[in-house]
Amino acid sequence: MDAAAVDTALPALLSSYRPHDSLFSSVQTQWHARGVLHALARASDDDLAGASERLLAQVAAESGRLPLLGAVPFEGGQPARLWVPAQAAFAAGRARHGGAAQLLPGEARGAPQVEPVPAPAQFKRNVERSLDRIHDGGLRKVVMSRSLRIAAKVDVPQLLGQLLARAPSAYTFAMDLAGAGGPAACLIGSSPELLLSKRGARIVSNPLAGSIPRSADSAEDRRRAEGLLRSAKDLHEHALVIEDVAAALRPFCRELHVPAAPSLLATPTMWHLSTRVDGVLRDPATNSLRLALALHPTPAVCGYPTEPARQAIRELEGYDRGLFTGLVGWCDSEGDGEWAVTIRCALVEEDCATVFAGAGIVAGSQPEAELAETTAKLRTMLGAMGLSHVADSEGRA
């Protein structure tokens, strides 16, 4: 890769990936980055969007067309991990890449040790306590999540290849955090949910809310999908998200199209209710990160209203989400970019990997069903690692 961003063919882009590189891949775009030219200094500043715009303007004048990329955490007070790479390669179009992921157990032989936080029984209690708050009023939805910390070495390049092969239309990412002042870790995942993309004056947001695990039986799978489209509980949960997203985007847009009803989006493990929101900006120069931050966190990953839901998460969940349910992606000096919601992801460290999953709790939610939903969502990462059985065993605990 050259010192400035260059267009390159997809096979070369992906075959040249190596440990400690960073990559973001969507149906439209791939960025492959190496090294750090500038890290965003005051990454937890309230003016995160402004700081990124100033840095990109500086880099454009000095080094040409290089993107800003990285991740923003769920909690606003925590530092973001955003940087301009020393080298970057760009390609348009869908990536095609495969390979067998390898997971290498650590000291113990056989199955790796797994630490669930919170434990499944505690997660169900968290759902019950969330429902109590919803029934008391003032809170209409809250997202409860859980994590699994797995003692194992993970081959990141091969895991990335598996994720790209399994869900080529997803937003697949591998962000090396160490160079931007973060831990010696890689944030890797395959998100189905687009928070915000921008090309010139046109923007798209594609929130997902309301989900059901898929079935290997085709007739049962279709029954579940059709049931999801008729589910009053899931349609209510979805409507809360879409109303909030539309309200956040309207001040920026001279046109905004919001479909009257959701459609279905399928991933290898889940059916989701999906609504694509399209808009035309009043000011085409508006930066995509500024727009994404105006949306973050949506009720899809936090709840509604936002602040009571966030407080419930702090009090009940029992662990720090970090970058999970934040945003991950890129933007350039013209403000164009793509930002996905940081879900279906793992934080891969030297000798362990932590995977995450959450579920939206609304009136009518059932603790056992919400546990089953998180178990299905965990299979995206665990399946790519060859560890689907880990999710199944934890879900039964």
Side-chain angles (χ1 to χ4, degrees):
M1 289 185 289
D2 296 333
V6 296
D7 289 343
T8 186
L10 288 177
L13 180 69
L14 294 171
S15 64
S16 62
Y17 179 89
R18 66 192 190 197
H20 306 297
D21 286 356
S22 294
L23 183 141
F24 184 91
S25 174
S26 73
V27 171
Q28 293 184 309
T29 303
Q30 285 75 49
W31 277 106
H32 176 194
R34 185 170 295 160
V36 176
L37 180 65
H38 294 287
L40 202 58
R42 295 183 313 226
S44 60
D45 206 335
D46 289 339
D47 188 25
L48 185 59
S52 71
E53 290 163 1
R54 291 189 291 273
L55 177 58
L56 281 167
Q58 172 192 335
V59 170
E62 296 174 353
S63 306
R65 184 173 171 250
L66 282 163
L68 178 87
L69 73 162
V72 176
F74 172 70
E75 286 282 4
Q78 295 183 352
R81 302 299 174 193
L82 296 168
W83 68 94
V84 175
Q87 300 172 294
F90 166 87
R94 179 178 298 183
R96 294 177 177 86
H97 188 63
Q102 294 181 349
L103 184 138
L104 308 174
E107 296 297 324
R109 297 173 66 91
Q113 291 184 326
V114 178
E115 178 188 3
V117 181
Q122 182 60 53
F123 174 80
K124 289 191 285 187
R125 285 193 289 271
N126 291 348
V127 173
E128 291 169 352
R129 294 170 69 188
S130 298
L131 287 168
D132 289 341
R133 297 190 183 203
I134 291 169
H135 295 154
D136 289 342
L139 187 61
R140 297 172 66 187
K141 174 184 176 178
V142 62
V143 175
M144 284 288 116
S145 72
R146 63 191 186 102
S147 67
L148 300 178
R149 185 177 175 87
I150 303 164
K153 291 182 181 290
V154 174
D155 185 319
V156 169
Q158 293 197 42
L159 176 56
L160 179 60
Q162 276 280 16
L163 294 172
L164 287 165
R166 286 167 175 248
S169 61
Y171 299 88
T172 301
F173 52 89
M175 296 290 175
D176 185 68
L177 303 178
C186 178
L187 177 70
I188 182 168
S190 185
S191 175
E193 186 167 2
L194 173 65
L195 182 63
L196 192 288
S197 73
K198 174 184 176 290
R199 296 287 188 281
R202 297 195 172 274
I203 62 168
V204 177
S205 182
N206 192 179
L208 309 178
S211 308
I212 193 168
R214 299 197 65 177
S215 171
D217 178 84
S218 59
E220 171 63 14
D221 192 50
R222 175 50 54 185
R223 186 193 68 79
R224 293 184 184 186
E226 292 172 351
L228 182 63
L229 275 175
R230 296 191 301 267
S231 167
K233 177 189 82 70
D234 290 289
L235 289 169
H236 167 63
E237 178 185 348
H238 191 81
L240 290 176
V241 176
I242 300 309
E243 290 167 8
D244 190 78
V245 166
L249 290 177
R250 279 195 183 96
F252 296 96
C253 295
R254 58 182 176 84
E255 296 177 20
L256 191 68
H257 174 65
V258 183
S263 58
L264 287 169
L265 184 145
T267 74
T269 60
M270 303 293 298
W271 284 107
H272 297 282
L273 293 179
S274 165
T275 295
R276 177 184 165 115
V277 178
D278 293 274
V280 179
L281 294 171
R282 299 180 191 279
D283 180 2
T286 306
N287 184 278
S288 63
L289 179 57
R290 183 175 295 278
L291 295 165
L293 291 171
L295 293 171
H296 176 65
T298 72
V301 296
C302 181
Y304 188 85
T306 301
E307 286 312 312
R310 202 192 316 247
Q311 188 58 37
I313 290 167
R314 291 177 185 136
E315 294 173 5
L316 300 179
E317 216 164 48
Y319 76 103
D320 182 359
R321 291 187 181 185
L323 295 171
F324 170 59
T325 62
L327 51 141
V328 59
W330 66 274
C331 63
D332 63 20
S333 57
E334 296 179 352
D336 291 350
E338 292 175 294
W339 297 94
V341 181
T342 315
I343 54 176
R344 311 297 192 276
C345 64
L347 186 69
V348 175
E349 300 172 88
E350 179 64 26
D351 294 307
C352 68
T354 305
V355 296
F356 309 88
I361 313 304
V362 296
S365 293
Q366 299 294 326
E368 194 66 45
E370 303 305 329
L371 178 64
E373 180 175 323
T374 60
T375 299
K377 289 174 177 176
L378 287 168
R379 288 196 187 100
T380 296
M381 294 304 298
L382 294 176
M385 296 176 184
L387 288 175
S388 294
H389 62 283
V390 170
D392 295 335
S393 62
E394 290 299 326
R396 291 190 298 268

